[in-house]
Structure formats: structure tokens, C-alpha cells
Amino acid sequence: MAVIQPVIKVEIDPLKPVPEICAVIMAVTRYHLYQEEAILHGVQEAIERRLNSLKGAEKDAQSVL
């Protein structure tokens, strides 16, 4: 019997991170049409957490100098 699994295998060019990451997000959201907004908000929150983390690390580095 056939086993069918929706799987996305990705190879990205690390020299073009932004368009490559956007292409991956678009590929994943195609499988979740009615959850696309929730997925995008989740990605946005993850990005904001990382940006805040980087800002905190930047402040820590400046206070050492």
C-alpha cells in the first residue's frame, strides 16, 4: 500500500538568506491555508524575540566597554 506524506525538503543558498527564508515560509504555509495568519504571527513573534535578544546582547557588550 502506498504511503503518502507531505514533506518539504529544503536546500537554501546561505548567501541569499532573506529570499530563501521567505520561500520556505511560503512553501510551508501552502499546506495550512486556513492557519497562514497564525503561522506568520508565530514567525513574527520568533523574529521579535531574536531581535530583542540581539539588542540585549548589544547593550551588554557596550556596558563592558
Side-chain angles (χ1 to χ4, degrees), residues 2 4-5 18 23 26-27 38 41-42 44 46-47 53-54 57-58 60 65:
I4 301 170
Q5 298 177 342
V18 174
M26 294 305 295
H41 281 296
Q44 182 179 27
I47 291 168
S53 173
L54 290 172
E58 199 175 279
D60 290 343
L65 299 176

Side-chain angles (χ1 to χ4, degrees), residues 46-64:
I47 291 168
E48 288 172 359
R49 281 194 304 272
R50 181 60 182 144
L51 286 171
N52 288 333
S53 173
L54 290 172
K55 288 178 187 175
E58 199 175 279
K59 287 180 185 176
D60 290 343
Q62 289 176 356
S63 66
V64 171

Side-chain angles (χ1 to χ4, degrees), residues 11-60:
E11 289 185 25
I12 64 169
D13 180 350
L15 298 176
K16 303 175 189 171
V18 174
E20 299 285 84
I21 291 167
C22 291
V24 171
I25 292 169
M26 294 305 295
V28 171
T29 58
R30 285 188 191 120
Y31 286 95
H32 304 280
L33 295 177
Y34 300 107
Q35 297 173 328
E36 184 175 8
E37 187 174 349
I39 291 168
L40 293 173
H41 281 296
V43 170
Q44 182 179 27
E45 290 170 8
I47 291 168
E48 288 172 359
R49 281 194 304 272
R50 181 60 182 144
L51 286 171
N52 288 333
S53 173
L54 290 172
K55 288 178 187 175
E58 199 175 279
K59 287 180 185 176
D60 290 343

